Amino acid sequence: MAEVEDAGKPYVSPRVSDATLRDSAHMAGVEFGPRDAADIARLLVATGVDLVEVGMVSGPDSKDADLILATHEAIGPERSMTLVVVRDRRQVATALDEAERLGVHHVMYSIPTSEEHAALKLGTPSAKLLGALARSAVSQAKERGFHVTFSGEDGARTPRERLVPYVTAGFGAGADRFRLAETVAALSPWRMERVIGDLTEIDGAEIEIHSHNMLGLAVANSLAAVRAGARWVSATVGGIGERGGNAPLAEFLTALRVVHGDDRFDLTHLTELSRLALRGAGLGEAFQSGPTTPHAFAYELPGQLVNPEAYETLPAELVGNRRELRVRTRITPALVDWALAESGVDIDTDAFTPWLIARQEETGRPLLDRDAVRKAAVDFAAA
């Protein structure tokens, strides 16, 4: 890898993974189709991106199967990676079965590391369980021949004394790479350097950074992580992603060119990429990141609506924004319950939900917010 001097520190050019086709699956109301996925993946590879992250699986009949298969056909499974949700050993085995069925070569585990996220998603904040879960999940995947990246969900807010043993356990089980997820934007660039520096001291550690852009620091934090020894950076086209967006690919790659003289990437594809991705995501010709956008506090996962404090850097009200539901096809009774709370509409949500899903299919999957769900519930009650 090329090296350039930066204030006395050697610059080692990072490898880049793009999470547009995966993080968008978590972004409320954004759903790419297989053709979008194939076109975006081809342009990412033409640009010089090393790995295209696409979709997620948690068990059989993955909702993102068509997206994953289209990406594999476009660029090959060797250049793509799929997220596997980790909650317990049995669930991991089921998810890996699905990953194998889809021909996935690279998996990325999402494991909640902070006490708050672990308590919400694993049922306990136990650091001992966290390490055991990482060892088990990584071992299962390596035994099947997968390349394994394991992530620290909310890792940026996880204390060093909890994070370092977890990362050490994952590498000890044979993991190939660790991704620090700045799930909740909270770090300054100088703090990011210290956190990444702690992780690069682990024997055999290959570190990646995945930053969210709620504070507008995702590119700066990615550069700081590289300065501290991170060898991979995760970005998205146009900064697409939940919670204020992610590190925008174009800004990051042009920063590498200007700041470090890194000319490995073909930047001529970036404008076409951005227009294609933003159009496919239904975001128009431009996507604004940060805390004041309609997307910043929009969710389509019930846990995020019920426990927003676990995901938000700042409360929506602090900047005059509001928390909102935005969903197209990922409709569940729990989301409906949230939308109808305190609405005065009294219906059987278990009966209403499949009715609403069917109506979405019939009408072209329009974007639903809380008011739209409430209006549909009134129509259902009157039918």
Side-chain angles (χ1 to χ4, degrees), residues 75-155:
I75 62 171
E78 302 83 5
R79 295 292 295 268
S80 63
M81 177 172 69
T82 296
L83 182 145
V84 173
V85 177
V86 175
R87 295 296 177 261
D88 57 56
R89 184 181 177 86
R90 180 178 299 176
Q91 183 265 327
V92 168
T94 302
L96 291 177
D97 287 343
E98 176 73 352
E100 285 187 323
R101 183 184 75 82
L102 295 171
V104 172
H105 288 190
H106 297 248
V107 295
M108 197 271 285
Y109 282 133
S110 175
I111 306 177
T113 56
S114 69
E115 288 192 13
E116 186 171 13
H117 275 240
L120 283 174
K121 299 179 179 181
L122 304 179
T124 173
S126 168
K128 183 177 180 180
L129 172 66
L130 194 62
L133 187 58
R135 284 189 293 269
S136 172
V138 170
S139 296
Q140 286 186 69
K142 293 304 294 183
E143 287 169 5
R144 299 188 189 215
F146 288 104
H147 182 284
V148 180
T149 296
F150 70 115
S151 174
E153 184 181 348
D154 203 24

Coordinates of all heavy atoms in Angstrom, one line a residue, residues 75-155:
I75 N -21.1 -8.4 -9.7 CA -19.7 -8.2 -9.4 C -19.0 -9.5 -8.8 O -17.8 -9.5 -8.6 CB -19.5 -7.0 -8.4 CG1 -20.2 -7.3 -7.1 CG2 -19.9 -5.7 -9.0 CD1 -19.9 -6.3 -6.0
G76 N -19.8 -10.5 -8.6 CA -19.3 -11.7 -8.0 C -19.3 -11.7 -6.4 O -19.2 -10.6 -5.8
P77 N -19.5 -12.8 -5.8 CA -19.6 -12.9 -4.3 C -18.3 -12.5 -3.6 O -18.3 -12.2 -2.5 CB -20.0 -14.3 -4.1 CG -19.6 -15.1 -5.3 CD -19.7 -14.2 -6.4
E78 N -17.2 -12.7 -4.4 CA -15.9 -12.3 -3.8 C -15.7 -10.9 -3.4 O -15.0 -10.5 -2.6 CB -14.7 -12.8 -4.7 CG -14.7 -14.2 -5.1 CD -15.6 -14.5 -6.2 OE1 -16.2 -13.6 -6.8 OE2 -15.8 -15.7 -6.6
R79 N -16.5 -10.0 -4.2 CA -16.4 -8.6 -4.0 C -17.5 -8.0 -3.1 O -17.7 -6.8 -3.0 CB -16.4 -7.8 -5.3 CG -15.2 -8.1 -6.2 CD -13.9 -7.6 -5.6 NE -13.8 -6.1 -5.5 CZ -13.3 -5.3 -6.5 NH1 -12.9 -5.9 -7.6 NH2 -13.3 -4.0 -6.4
S80 N -18.4 -8.9 -2.5 CA -19.5 -8.4 -1.8 C -19.5 -9.1 -0.4 O -18.9 -10.1 -0.1 CB -20.8 -8.7 -2.5 OG -21.0 -10.1 -2.7
M81 N -20.2 -8.4 0.5 CA -20.3 -8.9 1.9 C -21.7 -8.7 2.4 O -22.4 -7.7 2.1 CB -19.3 -8.1 2.8 CG -19.4 -8.5 4.3 SD -18.0 -7.7 5.3 CE -18.5 -6.0 5.2
T82 N -22.2 -9.6 3.2 CA -23.6 -9.5 3.7 C -23.6 -9.6 5.2 O -22.9 -10.4 5.9 CB -24.5 -10.7 3.2 OG1 -24.5 -10.6 1.7 CG2 -25.9 -10.7 3.8
L83 N -24.4 -8.7 5.8 CA -24.5 -8.7 7.3 C -25.4 -9.8 7.8 O -26.4 -10.2 7.2 CB -25.2 -7.4 7.7 CG -25.3 -7.1 9.2 CD1 -25.2 -5.6 9.5 CD2 -26.7 -7.6 9.7
V84 N -24.9 -10.5 8.9 CA -25.6 -11.5 9.6 C -25.9 -11.0 11.0 O -25.0 -10.7 11.7 CB -24.8 -12.8 9.6 CG1 -25.5 -13.9 10.5 CG2 -24.6 -13.4 8.2
V85 N -27.2 -11.0 11.3 CA -27.6 -10.5 12.7 C -27.3 -11.6 13.7 O -27.5 -12.8 13.5 CB -29.1 -10.2 12.7 CG1 -29.5 -9.8 14.1 CG2 -29.4 -9.1 11.7
V86 N -26.7 -11.2 14.8 CA -26.3 -12.2 15.9 C -27.1 -11.9 17.1 O -27.1 -10.8 17.7 CB -24.8 -12.1 16.2 CG1 -24.5 -13.0 17.4 CG2 -24.0 -12.5 15.0
R87 N -27.9 -12.9 17.6 CA -28.6 -12.7 18.9 C -28.3 -13.9 19.8 O -28.3 -13.8 21.0 CB -30.1 -12.6 18.6 CG -30.5 -11.3 17.9 CD -30.2 -10.1 18.7 NE -30.5 -8.9 17.9 CZ -29.6 -8.1 17.3 NH1 -28.3 -8.5 17.3 NH2 -29.9 -7.0 16.7
D88 N -28.2 -15.1 19.2 CA -27.8 -16.3 20.0 C -27.3 -17.4 19.1 O -27.3 -17.2 17.9 CB -29.0 -16.9 20.8 CG -30.2 -17.2 19.9 OD1 -30.0 -18.0 19.0 OD2 -31.3 -16.7 20.2
R89 N -26.7 -18.4 19.6 CA -26.0 -19.4 18.8 C -26.9 -20.1 17.8 O -26.5 -20.3 16.7 CB -25.4 -20.5 19.8 CG -24.6 -21.5 19.0 CD -24.0 -22.6 20.0 NE -23.3 -23.6 19.3 CZ -22.0 -23.5 19.0 NH1 -21.3 -22.5 19.3 NH2 -21.4 -24.5 18.3
R90 N -28.1 -20.4 18.2 CA -29.0 -21.1 17.3 C -29.4 -20.2 16.1 O -29.5 -20.6 15.0 CB -30.3 -21.6 18.0 CG -31.3 -22.3 17.1 CD -32.5 -22.8 17.9 NE -32.1 -23.7 19.0 CZ -33.0 -24.2 19.9 NH1 -34.3 -23.8 19.9 NH2 -32.6 -25.0 20.8
Q91 N -29.7 -19.0 16.4 CA -30.0 -18.0 15.4 C -28.9 -17.8 14.4 O -29.1 -17.7 13.2 CB -30.5 -16.7 16.0 CG -30.9 -15.6 15.0 CD -29.8 -14.7 14.6 OE1 -28.9 -14.4 15.4 NE2 -29.8 -14.2 13.4
V92 N -27.7 -17.8 14.9 CA -26.5 -17.7 14.0 C -26.4 -18.8 13.0 O -26.2 -18.6 11.8 CB -25.2 -17.6 14.9 CG1 -24.0 -17.7 14.0 CG2 -25.1 -16.3 15.6
A93 N -26.6 -20.0 13.5 CA -26.6 -21.2 12.7 C -27.6 -21.1 11.6 O -27.3 -21.4 10.4 CB -26.7 -22.5 13.5
T94 N -28.8 -20.7 11.9 CA -29.9 -20.6 10.9 C -29.5 -19.5 9.9 O -29.8 -19.7 8.7 CB -31.2 -20.2 11.6 OG1 -31.5 -21.2 12.6 CG2 -32.3 -20.1 10.6
A95 N -29.0 -18.4 10.3 CA -28.6 -17.3 9.4 C -27.5 -17.7 8.5 O -27.5 -17.4 7.3 CB -28.3 -16.1 10.2
L96 N -26.5 -18.5 9.0 CA -25.4 -18.9 8.2 C -25.9 -19.9 7.1 O -25.4 -20.0 6.0 CB -24.3 -19.5 9.0 CG -23.5 -18.5 9.9 CD1 -22.5 -19.3 10.8 CD2 -22.8 -17.5 9.1
D97 N -26.9 -20.7 7.5 CA -27.5 -21.6 6.5 C -28.0 -20.8 5.3 O -27.8 -21.2 4.1 CB -28.7 -22.4 7.1 CG -28.2 -23.5 8.1 OD1 -27.0 -23.9 8.0 OD2 -29.0 -24.0 8.9
E98 N -28.7 -19.7 5.6 CA -29.3 -18.9 4.6 C -28.2 -18.2 3.8 O -28.2 -18.1 2.5 CB -30.2 -17.8 5.2 CG -30.8 -16.8 4.2 CD -31.8 -17.4 3.3 OE1 -32.1 -18.6 3.3 OE2 -32.5 -16.6 2.6
A99 N -27.1 -17.8 4.4 CA -26.0 -17.1 3.7 C -25.3 -18.1 2.8 O -25.0 -17.8 1.6 CB -25.0 -16.6 4.8
E100 N -25.2 -19.4 3.2 CA -24.6 -20.4 2.3 C -25.5 -20.6 1.1 O -25.1 -20.8 0.0 CB -24.4 -21.7 3.1 CG -23.2 -21.7 4.0 CD -23.0 -23.0 4.7 OE1 -23.9 -23.7 5.0 OE2 -21.8 -23.3 4.8
R101 N -26.8 -20.7 1.4 CA -27.8 -20.9 0.3 C -27.7 -19.8 -0.8 O -27.8 -20.1 -2.0 CB -29.2 -20.9 0.8 CG -30.3 -21.2 -0.2 CD -31.7 -21.1 0.3 NE -32.1 -19.8 0.6 CZ -32.6 -19.0 -0.4 NH1 -32.7 -19.4 -1.6 NH2 -33.0 -17.7 -0.1
L102 N -27.4 -18.6 -0.3 CA -27.3 -17.4 -1.2 C -25.9 -17.3 -1.9 O -25.7 -16.4 -2.7 CB -27.7 -16.1 -0.5 CG -29.1 -16.0 0.0 CD1 -29.3 -14.8 0.9 CD2 -30.1 -16.0 -1.2
G103 N -25.0 -18.1 -1.5 CA -23.7 -18.1 -2.1 C -22.8 -17.0 -1.5 O -21.8 -16.6 -2.2
V104 N -23.1 -16.5 -0.3 CA -22.3 -15.5 0.3 C -20.9 -16.0 0.7 O -20.8 -17.1 1.2 CB -23.0 -15.0 1.6 CG1 -22.1 -14.0 2.4 CG2 -24.3 -14.3 1.2
H105 N -19.9 -15.2 0.4 CA -18.5 -15.6 0.8 C -18.0 -14.8 2.1 O -17.3 -15.3 2.9 CB -17.5 -15.3 -0.3 CG -17.6 -16.2 -1.5 ND1 -16.7 -16.3 -2.5 CD2 -18.6 -17.2 -1.8 CE1 -17.1 -17.2 -3.4 NE2 -18.2 -17.8 -3.0
H106 N -18.4 -13.5 2.1 CA -18.0 -12.7 3.2 C -19.2 -12.3 4.1 O -20.3 -11.9 3.6 CB -17.5 -11.3 2.7 CG -16.2 -11.4 1.9 ND1 -15.0 -11.0 2.3 CD2 -16.0 -12.0 0.7 CE1 -14.1 -11.2 1.4 NE2 -14.7 -11.8 0.4
V107 N -19.1 -12.6 5.4 CA -20.2 -12.2 6.3 C -19.7 -11.2 7.3 O -18.5 -11.1 7.6 CB -20.8 -13.4 7.1 CG1 -21.5 -14.4 6.2 CG2 -19.7 -14.1 8.0
M108 N -20.6 -10.3 7.7 CA -20.2 -9.3 8.7 C -21.3 -9.4 9.9 O -22.5 -9.3 9.7 CB -20.3 -7.9 8.2 CG -19.6 -6.9 9.0 SD -20.6 -6.1 10.3 CE -21.6 -5.0 9.3
Y109 N -20.8 -9.8 11.0 CA -21.7 -10.0 12.2 C -22.0 -8.7 12.8 O -21.1 -7.8 13.1 CB -21.0 -10.9 13.2 CG -21.0 -12.4 12.9 CD1 -19.9 -13.1 13.1 CD2 -22.2 -13.0 12.6 CE1 -19.9 -14.5 12.8 CE2 -22.2 -14.3 12.3 CZ -21.0 -15.1 12.4 OH -21.1 -16.4 12.2
S110 N -23.2 -8.5 13.2 CA -23.6 -7.3 14.0 C -23.9 -7.7 15.4 O -24.9 -8.5 15.6 CB -24.9 -6.7 13.4 OG -25.3 -5.6 14.2
I111 N -23.0 -7.4 16.3 CA -23.2 -7.8 17.7 C -23.2 -6.5 18.6 O -22.2 -5.7 18.6 CB -22.0 -8.7 18.1 CG1 -21.9 -9.9 17.2 CG2 -22.2 -9.2 19.6 CD1 -20.8 -10.9 17.5
P112 N -24.2 -6.3 19.4 CA -24.3 -5.1 20.2 C -23.3 -5.2 21.4 O -23.3 -6.1 22.2 CB -25.7 -5.1 20.7 CG -26.2 -6.5 20.7 CD -25.4 -7.1 19.5
T113 N -22.4 -4.2 21.5 CA -21.3 -4.2 22.5 C -21.6 -3.3 23.7 O -21.1 -3.6 24.8 CB -20.0 -3.9 21.9 OG1 -20.0 -2.6 21.3 CG2 -19.6 -4.9 20.9
S114 N -22.2 -2.2 23.5 CA -22.4 -1.3 24.7 C -23.4 -2.0 25.6 O -24.2 -2.8 25.2 CB -23.0 0.0 24.2 OG -24.3 -0.1 23.7
E115 N -23.3 -1.6 26.9 CA -24.2 -2.2 27.9 C -25.7 -1.9 27.5 O -26.6 -2.8 27.6 CB -23.9 -1.6 29.3 CG -22.6 -2.1 29.9 CD -22.5 -1.8 31.4 OE1 -23.5 -1.4 31.9 OE2 -21.4 -1.9 31.9
E116 N -26.0 -0.7 27.0 CA -27.3 -0.4 26.7 C -27.9 -1.2 25.5 O -29.0 -1.7 25.6 CB -27.4 1.1 26.3 CG -28.8 1.6 26.1 CD -28.9 3.2 26.0 OE1 -27.8 3.8 25.8 OE2 -30.0 3.7 26.0
H117 N -27.1 -1.3 24.5 CA -27.6 -2.1 23.3 C -27.6 -3.6 23.6 O -28.5 -4.3 23.1 CB -26.7 -1.8 22.1 CG -27.1 -0.6 21.4 ND1 -27.5 -0.6 20.0 CD2 -27.2 0.7 21.8 CE1 -27.8 0.6 19.7 NE2 -27.7 1.4 20.7
A118 N -26.6 -4.1 24.4 CA -26.6 -5.5 24.7 C -27.9 -5.8 25.6 O -28.5 -6.9 25.4 CB -25.4 -5.9 25.5
A119 N -28.2 -5.0 26.5 CA -29.4 -5.2 27.4 C -30.6 -5.2 26.5 O -31.5 -6.1 26.7 CB -29.5 -4.2 28.5
L120 N -30.7 -4.4 25.5 CA -31.9 -4.3 24.7 C -32.0 -5.5 23.8 O -33.1 -6.0 23.6 CB -31.9 -3.0 23.8 CG -32.2 -1.7 24.5 CD1 -32.0 -0.5 23.6 CD2 -33.7 -1.7 25.0
K121 N -30.9 -5.9 23.2 CA -31.0 -6.9 22.1 C -30.6 -8.3 22.5 O -31.0 -9.3 21.9 CB -30.1 -6.4 20.9 CG -30.6 -5.1 20.4 CD -29.7 -4.6 19.3 CE -30.3 -3.3 18.7 NZ -29.5 -2.7 17.6
L122 N -29.8 -8.4 23.5 CA -29.4 -9.8 24.0 C -30.0 -10.1 25.3 O -29.9 -11.3 25.8 CB -27.8 -9.8 24.2 CG -27.0 -9.4 23.0 CD1 -25.5 -9.5 23.3 CD2 -27.3 -10.3 21.8
G123 N -30.7 -9.2 25.9 CA -31.4 -9.5 27.2 C -30.6 -9.3 28.4 O -31.1 -9.5 29.5
T124 N -29.3 -9.0 28.2 CA -28.4 -8.9 29.4 C -27.2 -8.0 28.9 O -26.7 -8.1 27.8 CB -27.9 -10.2 29.9 OG1 -26.9 -10.0 30.9 CG2 -27.3 -11.1 28.8
P125 N -26.7 -7.2 29.8 CA -25.5 -6.4 29.5 C -24.2 -7.2 29.8 O -23.1 -6.6 29.6 CB -25.6 -5.2 30.4 CG -26.3 -5.8 31.7 CD -27.3 -6.8 31.1
S126 N -24.3 -8.4 30.1 CA -23.1 -9.2 30.6 C -22.0 -9.2 29.5 O -22.1 -9.6 28.4 CB -23.5 -10.7 30.8 OG -22.4 -11.5 30.9
A127 N -20.8 -8.7 30.0 CA -19.6 -8.7 29.1 C -19.1 -10.1 28.9 O -18.6 -10.4 27.8 CB -18.5 -7.9 29.8
K128 N -19.3 -11.0 29.8 CA -18.9 -12.4 29.7 C -19.7 -13.1 28.6 O -19.1 -13.8 27.7 CB -19.1 -13.2 31.0 CG -18.7 -14.6 31.0 CD -18.8 -15.3 32.3 CE -18.3 -16.7 32.3 NZ -18.5 -17.4 33.6
L129 N -21.0 -12.8 28.5 CA -21.8 -13.4 27.4 C -21.4 -12.8 26.1 O -21.4 -13.5 25.1 CB -23.3 -13.1 27.7 CG -24.3 -13.4 26.6 CD1 -24.3 -14.9 26.3 CD2 -25.7 -12.9 26.8
L130 N -21.1 -11.5 26.1 CA -20.7 -10.8 24.8 C -19.5 -11.5 24.2 O -19.5 -11.8 23.0 CB -20.4 -9.4 25.1 CG -20.3 -8.4 24.0 CD1 -21.6 -8.4 23.2 CD2 -19.9 -7.0 24.4
G131 N -18.5 -11.8 25.0 CA -17.3 -12.5 24.6 C -17.6 -13.9 24.1 O -17.0 -14.3 23.0
A132 N -18.4 -14.6 24.8 CA -18.7 -16.0 24.5 C -19.5 -16.0 23.2 O -19.3 -16.9 22.3 CB -19.6 -16.6 25.6
L133 N -20.4 -15.0 23.0 CA -21.2 -14.9 21.8 C -20.3 -14.6 20.6 O -20.5 -15.2 19.5 CB -22.3 -13.9 21.9 CG -23.3 -13.7 20.8 CD1 -24.1 -15.0 20.6 CD2 -24.3 -12.6 21.1
A134 N -19.4 -13.7 20.7 CA -18.4 -13.4 19.6 C -17.6 -14.7 19.2 O -17.5 -15.0 18.1 CB -17.5 -12.3 20.0
R135 N -17.1 -15.4 20.2 CA -16.3 -16.5 19.9 C -17.1 -17.6 19.2 O -16.6 -18.2 18.2 CB -15.7 -17.1 21.2 CG -14.5 -16.3 21.8 CD -13.8 -17.0 23.0 NE -14.7 -17.1 24.1 CZ -14.8 -16.2 25.1 NH1 -14.0 -15.1 25.0 NH2 -15.6 -16.3 26.1
S136 N -18.3 -17.8 19.7 CA -19.2 -18.8 19.1 C -19.5 -18.5 17.7 O -19.4 -19.3 16.8 CB -20.4 -19.0 19.9 OG -21.4 -19.8 19.3
A137 N -20.0 -17.2 17.5 CA -20.4 -16.8 16.1 C -19.3 -16.9 15.1 O -19.4 -17.4 14.0 CB -21.0 -15.4 16.2
V138 N -18.1 -16.3 15.5 CA -17.0 -16.3 14.6 C -16.5 -17.8 14.3 O -16.3 -18.1 13.1 CB -15.8 -15.5 15.2 CG1 -14.5 -15.7 14.4 CG2 -16.2 -14.1 15.3
S139 N -16.5 -18.6 15.3 CA -16.0 -20.0 15.1 C -17.0 -20.7 14.1 O -16.5 -21.5 13.2 CB -16.0 -20.8 16.4 OG -15.0 -20.2 17.3
Q140 N -18.3 -20.5 14.3 CA -19.2 -21.2 13.4 C -19.0 -20.8 12.0 O -19.0 -21.6 11.1 CB -20.7 -20.8 13.8 CG -21.2 -21.5 15.1 CD -22.6 -21.2 15.3 OE1 -23.5 -21.7 14.6 NE2 -22.9 -20.4 16.3
A141 N -18.8 -19.5 11.7 CA -18.6 -19.0 10.4 C -17.3 -19.5 9.8 O -17.2 -19.9 8.6 CB -18.7 -17.5 10.3
K142 N -16.2 -19.5 10.6 CA -14.9 -19.9 10.1 C -14.9 -21.4 9.7 O -14.3 -21.8 8.8 CB -13.8 -19.6 11.1 CG -13.6 -18.1 11.3 CD -13.3 -17.3 10.0 CE -12.0 -17.7 9.3 NZ -11.7 -16.9 8.1
E143 N -15.6 -22.2 10.5 CA -15.7 -23.6 10.3 C -16.4 -23.9 8.9 O -16.1 -24.9 8.3 CB -16.5 -24.3 11.4 CG -15.7 -24.4 12.7 CD -16.6 -24.8 13.9 OE1 -17.8 -25.1 13.6 OE2 -16.1 -24.9 15.0
R144 N -17.3 -23.0 8.5 CA -18.0 -23.1 7.2 C -17.2 -22.5 6.1 O -17.6 -22.5 4.9 CB -19.3 -22.5 7.3 CG -20.3 -23.2 8.3 CD -21.6 -22.6 8.2 NE -22.6 -23.0 9.2 CZ -23.9 -23.2 9.1 NH1 -24.4 -23.1 7.8 NH2 -24.6 -23.5 10.1
G145 N -16.1 -21.8 6.4 CA -15.2 -21.3 5.3 C -15.5 -19.8 4.9 O -15.0 -19.3 3.9
F146 N -16.3 -19.1 5.7 CA -16.6 -17.7 5.5 C -15.4 -16.8 5.8 O -14.7 -17.1 6.8 CB -17.8 -17.2 6.3 CG -19.1 -17.8 5.8 CD1 -19.8 -18.8 6.5 CD2 -19.8 -17.3 4.7 CE1 -21.0 -19.3 6.1 CE2 -21.0 -17.7 4.3 CZ -21.6 -18.7 5.0
H147 N -15.3 -15.7 5.1 CA -14.4 -14.6 5.6 C -15.3 -13.8 6.6 O -16.4 -13.5 6.2 CB -14.0 -13.7 4.4 CG -13.1 -12.6 4.8 ND1 -13.6 -11.5 5.4 CD2 -11.8 -12.4 4.6 CE1 -12.6 -10.6 5.6 NE2 -11.5 -11.2 5.2
V148 N -14.8 -13.5 7.7 CA -15.6 -13.0 8.8 C -15.1 -11.6 9.3 O -14.0 -11.5 9.7 CB -15.6 -13.9 10.0 CG1 -16.5 -13.3 11.1 CG2 -16.2 -15.3 9.6
T149 N -16.0 -10.6 9.1 CA -15.8 -9.3 9.8 C -16.8 -9.3 11.0 O -18.0 -9.7 10.8 CB -16.1 -8.2 8.9 OG1 -15.2 -8.2 7.8 CG2 -16.0 -6.8 9.6
F150 N -16.4 -9.0 12.2 CA -17.3 -8.9 13.3 C -17.4 -7.4 13.7 O -16.4 -6.7 13.7 CB -17.0 -9.8 14.4 CG -15.8 -9.6 15.2 CD1 -15.9 -9.2 16.6 CD2 -14.6 -9.7 14.7 CE1 -14.8 -9.0 17.3 CE2 -13.4 -9.4 15.4 CZ -13.5 -9.1 16.7
S151 N -18.6 -7.0 14.1 CA -18.8 -5.6 14.3 C -19.1 -5.3 15.8 O -19.7 -6.2 16.5 CB -20.0 -5.0 13.5 OG -20.3 -3.7 13.8
G152 N -18.7 -4.2 16.3 CA -19.1 -3.7 17.6 C -20.2 -2.7 17.4 O -20.0 -1.5 17.3
E153 N -21.5 -3.2 17.4 CA -22.6 -2.3 17.3 C -22.6 -1.4 18.5 O -22.6 -1.8 19.7 CB -23.9 -3.1 17.2 CG -25.1 -2.2 17.0 CD -26.4 -3.0 16.9 OE1 -26.3 -4.2 16.8 OE2 -27.5 -2.4 17.0
D154 N -22.7 -0.1 18.3 CA -22.5 1.0 19.4 C -21.2 0.9 20.0 O -21.0 1.2 21.2 CB -23.6 0.8 20.4 CG -23.9 2.2 21.2 OD1 -23.5 3.2 20.6 OD2 -24.4 2.1 22.3
G155 N -20.2 0.4 19.2 CA -18.9 0.2 19.7 C -18.2 1.5 20.1 O -17.4 1.5 21.1

